[in-house]
């Protein structure tokens, strides 16, 4: 028998935050938006997607 553990509200919110960051990173990679000065991908607004 396997116990099912309910995730806390903080864990669910943290996972949502990480998912949104990862989505911005995937979008920047698909659009080939590499910033050579900062050595990272940038989203459409110019914010670093990955540092």
């Amino acid at each position: 028998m396997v116990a099912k553990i309910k995730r806390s509200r903080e864990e669910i919110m943290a996972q949502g935050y990480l998912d949104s960051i990862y989505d911005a990173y995937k979008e920047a990679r698909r659009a080939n938006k590499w910033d050579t000065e900062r050595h990272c991908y940038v989203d459409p607004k110019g914010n670093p997607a990955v540092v």
Side-chain angles (χ1 to χ4, degrees):
M1 183 173 180
V2 177
K4 193 164 191 170
I5 300 172
K6 185 176 179 183
R7 296 188 332 179
S8 69
R9 180 175 172 255
E10 290 82 14
E11 289 173 322
I12 294 169
M13 290 180 67
Q15 185 63 49
Y17 178 70
L18 290 174
D19 290 344
S20 68
I21 292 173
Y22 186 60
D23 289 343
Y25 166 72
K26 289 189 300 188
E27 178 184 337
R29 286 226 26 193
R30 268 187 257 119
N32 225 5
K33 296 198 178 239
W34 178 256
D35 184 4
T36 55
E37 293 177 10
R38 294 186 278 183
H39 299 286
C40 64
Y41 288 98
V42 291
D43 65 7
K45 296 178 183 175
N47 300 320
V50 175
V51 179

